[in-house]
Every structure is written in structure tokens, then in C-alpha cells.
Amino acid sequence: MWIYLAFLAVVVLIGIPLCRNKTGKIIYCVAAGIILFVFAAIRKYTGYDYNLYAQVYIDFLSMDLDQIGVYRFEKGIAMPMKLLGNVMYVDYQWMFVGYALIFAAALMVILYKTSDKPYLGVFFYMTFGMYYISLDFMRQMVASFIVVLGMRYIKTNQFFRYLLVVLFASCFHYSALVMIPFFFLLRIKMNAVTFGVYTGTGILMFIFSWPLIQFLTKTFLPKYYHSGDVPRGEMDGNYLYIYTVFYGIFIILAFLFRKRLQAKDPDNRIWIGCMFFGFFFDAISLKHNIVGRLAIPFLIAASAILMPRVVECMFEWYKEKFKGNKKRSIAFSAVSLACIGVICVGMYGYMAATNYNGVNPYQTVFDDTPWVDPRDVWGKDVK
């Protein structure tokens, strides 16, 4: 746990003195990207899916292209793995190096383009649990980052280009296809009426989630369908309420500052919507755990792009409210920032302490740790 807290402190605090001008911002984005990359690249046996991916990589060495063609991994993931193993002849650890590079580079590109204080984006990205998730759900994280980068086409109302991006992302994880209708939903301005409609619809979907899930899985994902009274394994919710409460705090905060956010930039409606839908899918996961994965692209965008802007709006509001009383404005800003910091760092530490996504213990390639065959943990069928 402590190594993750120290890691958070280092990667965030170095940004405070650096991000005072454009040059410093560039230096920070490069430095933070390298730190995020190295920490993930040298890990070993960290993340529930680490051994599973390593075993698949090894299995691919003896498979031909026809066999890989019917393998359950999306081809955008399978083919690079085959290339690394049978053409470049490198160890499976290089696969994780590649994932780490993709995630760190994508995050820092997003932050450089969207924030004057990218260290705030890094802070919220990590404390929202996204970095932990990147150590586990690697296929879905690749797809999610592609979708988030493609959200610029929502701003410019270019549906066809957005569709192409989503289809490309689905080559890495099929769940990206769910993002197609959100091109239209995320363009809707967030106000009291839309928030009420979304909330009401969300509550109804939560209440009647079982028949809805059964219909959707029977139609589109038959392997997850179960018509009996006992739910199928992955569809059975065992998620903890604390995560939904945590995200709920920030959707409320974003909603409170929605007018100011959208007045500064109308496109902020997209990121407010991302915070809402991230919270929504996470709430649904209370009953259907696997649905929580659909929250990932929304929470990446909300944490990295929206939340730094919410903090800035909060400080601006205090300055206006206590105009002429600078000390009081600073005091309220400091207390609010401290509260947000305590909640976020507390959640980040709680995730590490409870082994969120298998991130504990953090081990590296320099540790002498024996290999554990994933089939000894998950059963004989790892495909």
C-alpha cells in the first residue's frame, strides 16, 4: 500500500513547481509520463490478469494464425502478441512494457491538450482507480483510451469519424461498441431537467436490471445469459458500495458547478456527461459486477479532464463570493481542497489496502518471484 501512496505523491507533487509555464508543463508531462510508464513496465505478477496474459502469450507461440483467428482475444490484441513472440522473439514481459507505454503516453497527451495543471489530472486519474485498472484490464484500457482520444469528434459533431474510432477501439475490446450511442447522449447539455431524466431512467434501469441484462445478454452476449434463478458467475454483483458512493460525491460536485463549467466551455457538457455515465455504470455494477467495466472510458475522461476544471471553477467561485476578503477566499479554498484530497487519497489507499484489481503486492522484474500458472488459479480453461 505504502509504495502506491509514495508513488502518487511523487508523480503529483513534482508538477506543482513545474507547471507554471508552457515549458514547465511540457517537462512535467514528459517526466510524469516516464514515471507512470516505468512503474507499470517493470511490474511482475501484479494485477489479477498478469499471469493470464502471460500464459496466453506463451500459448500463442505454438499457435498458427488460423487457431488465433478463433481465439477469444480481440485481434487487435492477439496479433501484436503473436508478432512479439514469433517474429521479434521477445519475452512476454515486453508485452506489459508495451501496454505501459500506451497508457502513459495516451494519458499525458490528453492532459497536455486539456489542462494547464496536468498534475491535477494525474491526481484524479490515479485516485479514481484508473491506474490500478490499467494494471489489470489491459485490453479494455487500450480500447478506452482510444475512445477518449476520439471524443474530440463529439465536440466537432463528426459522427462518422467518431464511429471509425470506436470501431477501431473494438478491435482491442468489444465493449467499445457500447460507446456508439453516447456520441448523441454526451452532446446534450447537462441541466436540472436532463440530470433528472438521467437519474430517473437510471433508477428504473437499476430496479429492473435483471430482465434488462437477461434480454441484452441473450441477444448480444449469449455466453453470459442465464435463464434460471441463480445468476451466472460474472453477472453476479459483488461490488462494494464504497466505490459508487465515492464517484457519487464527484458527480454531485460536477453538477453543482455545471453552469459555470458550461459557460466557460460548452464542450464541458461532454465531460460532465462522462462523470454521470461513469457513476451510472458503476452503480449498476452493484448488482452486475461485469457492467462496471463499461464505466472505464467515462471515468478516464471525467477524472483526467473534468475534475481539474471542477477544482478551478470552485476556486473561482470562492474568489467571487468573498471578493474583497482574500484571506477568507484562500481559507475556504484550502479547506475544500484538503477535503477533496483526503477523500481521494483515502479512496486510493483503501483500494490498495483491499487489493483492488490484484495490485498487491507490487512486485517487479527484479524480484525473485516464482511463476504461477494461471490455470492453477482460474481452472484449466484460460481461453
Side-chain angles (χ1 to χ4, degrees):
M1 171 180 167
W2 296 109
I3 189 171
Y4 288 107
L5 291 172
F7 176 53
L8 174 68
V10 170
V11 77
V12 172
L13 293 179
I14 62 172
I16 297 176
L18 284 175
C19 296
R20 296 183 178 180
N21 52 54
K22 185 176 181 180
T23 302
K25 178 181 170 181
I26 294 173
I27 293 172
Y28 172 75
C29 287
V30 172
I34 292 173
I35 295 171
L36 292 170
F37 160 69
V38 171
F39 192 85
I42 65 172
R43 82 185 191 280
K44 198 163 190 176
Y45 309 140
T46 300
Y48 286 131
D49 282 354
Y50 181 96
N51 284 355
L52 177 61
Y53 275 70
Q55 187 63 57
V56 169
Y57 185 93
I58 294 171
D59 290 343
F60 278 1
L61 295 176
S62 59
M63 290 185 183
D64 57 33
L65 294 180
D66 289 336
Q67 291 174 304
I68 292 177
V70 297
Y71 200 84
R72 73 172 178 88
F73 267 33
E74 291 83 355
K75 302 309 170 279
I77 295 294
M79 297 312 295
M81 291 171 70
K82 183 67 174 175
L83 177 66
L84 285 173
N86 289 88
V87 178
M88 301 179 69
Y89 303 105
V90 297
D91 183 80
Y92 62 78
Q93 185 63 34
W94 286 97
M95 170 179 58
F96 299 103
V97 172
Y99 282 126
L101 179 62
I102 291 170
F103 300 152
L107 176 64
M108 299 320 298
V109 166
I110 291 169
L111 293 177
Y112 179 78
K113 290 184 175 181
T114 62
S115 177
D116 292 329
K117 296 180 177 62
Y119 59 87
L120 286 178
V122 171
F123 175 78
F124 285 110
Y125 172 84
M126 295 183 69
T127 57
F128 270 45
M130 296 300 102
Y131 193 77
Y132 291 145
I133 290 175
S134 74
L135 301 179
D136 190 25
F137 298 149
M138 287 162 281
R139 289 181 295 155
Q140 193 149 5
M141 283 296 287
V142 173
S144 295
F145 267 116
I146 292 171
V147 170
V148 173
L149 288 167
M151 284 182 178
R152 66 182 183 271
Y153 296 124
I154 300 178
K155 296 192 292 184
T156 56
N157 196 23
Q158 294 175 287
F159 175 72
F160 184 70
R161 291 190 177 185
Y162 175 79
L163 178 62
L164 291 178
V165 170
V166 172
L167 292 176
F168 176 64
S170 71
C171 294
F172 299 90
H173 202 282
Y174 295 134
S175 65
L177 295 173
V178 174
M179 297 299 297
I180 293 175
F182 288 95
F183 176 89
F184 307 100
L185 292 174
L186 292 174
R187 289 185 56 80
I188 299 173
K189 185 176 181 180
M190 184 64 74
N191 53 40
V193 175
T194 53
F195 186 80
V197 171
Y198 286 163
T199 302
T201 304
I203 291 173
L204 289 174
M205 292 180 69
F206 184 85
I207 293 172
F208 300 104
S209 63
W210 272 114
L212 179 61
I213 287 290
Q214 288 198 341
F215 168 75
L216 292 174
T217 53
K218 184 178 181 179
T219 305
F220 301 106
L221 295 169
K223 74 173 183 176
Y224 290 121
Y225 175 70
H226 193 286
S227 58
D229 294 329
V230 181
R232 178 178 163 85
E234 285 187 297
M235 302 308 296
D236 185 15
N238 57 9
Y239 217 50
L240 296 176
Y241 286 86
I242 189 170
Y243 301 122
T244 303
V245 172
F246 173 75
Y247 297 132
I249 292 172
F250 291 99
I251 184 57
I252 292 173
L253 194 60
F255 180 74
L256 290 175
F257 288 100
R258 69 191 185 284
K259 292 182 179 179
R260 183 178 292 269
L261 283 164
Q262 291 173 116
K264 292 182 66 174
D265 183 357
D267 290 331
N268 278 331
R269 70 190 186 278
I270 297 171
W271 318 124
I272 298 172
C274 283
M275 186 69 248
F276 179 88
F277 290 115
F279 166 76
F280 167 74
F281 283 116
D282 190 82
I284 294 294
S285 72
L286 292 171
K287 295 177 68 176
H288 313 282
N289 197 8
I290 197 171
V291 177
R293 301 184 187 187
L294 299 179
I296 294 175
F298 298 110
L299 292 177
I300 290 175
S303 60
I305 302 173
L306 176 68
M307 293 316 303
R309 298 180 182 185
V310 170
V311 171
E312 292 175 5
C313 284
M314 183 176 63
F315 288 168
E316 291 173 2
W317 185 78
Y318 282 135
K319 287 181 180 179
E320 293 177 7
K321 183 175 179 61
F322 302 112
K323 190 175 182 180
N325 193 337
K326 187 176 180 180
K327 290 184 178 179
R328 197 170 185 182
S329 173
I330 293 174
F332 271 83
S333 298
V335 170
S336 298
L337 189 62
C339 289
I340 292 174
V342 168
I343 292 171
C344 288
V345 174
M347 189 69 220
Y348 179 77
Y350 175 82
M351 289 178 176
T354 55
N355 199 25
Y356 184 72
N357 283 291
V359 297
N360 274 324
Y362 176 75
Q363 301 174 86
T364 73
V365 294
F366 306 110
D367 296 324
D368 186 17
T369 307
W371 162 264
V372 178
D373 192 314
R375 287 170 289 196
D376 295 335
V377 179
W378 299 106
K380 296 302 180 183
D381 182 12
V382 295
K383 298 180 182 179

